[in-house]
Amino acid sequence: MEWISFFDQKPDDGQRCLVCYKPSNIVMLLTYKFYDISWYDDDDYHFCDFTDVDYWCPLPPYKK
């Protein structure tokens, strides 16, 4: 999997992704919501707007 620029391609609505969170320079697991172009944490709490994320990466497929 490779990092994707948020400005080149957006994730699907409701997609959980690894994101590079700019303000803290850390990698986080967040969910993208298209309707307000924002990122949410696992508790569905608004975490940040799209401008705070430069790059995202889809999660690998889950295998049992």
Side-chain angles (χ1 to χ4, degrees):
M1 301 265 159
E2 293 192 22
W3 290 100
I4 302 166
S5 169
F6 184 79
F7 299 102
D8 290 342
Q9 181 182 341
K10 311 289 186 270
D12 293 333
D13 184 43
Q15 185 175 357
R16 294 184 76 203
C17 308
L18 290 175
V19 301
C20 292
Y21 180 60
K22 259 193 304 196
S24 299
N25 201 25
I26 58 174
V27 173
M28 301 183 69
L29 180 61
L30 297 175
T31 301
Y32 177 70
K33 302 284 180 100
F34 175 76
Y35 68 88
D36 61 357
I37 312 174
S38 296
W39 294 93
Y40 287 77
D41 65 12
D42 286 340
D43 296 324
D44 207 32
Y45 176 77
H46 178 261
F47 187 79
C48 68
D49 294 323
F50 75 95
T51 56
D52 291 329
V53 171
D54 283 332
Y55 295 93
W56 65 277
C57 182
L59 298 177
Y62 176 75
K63 293 184 181 179
K64 287 185 178 184

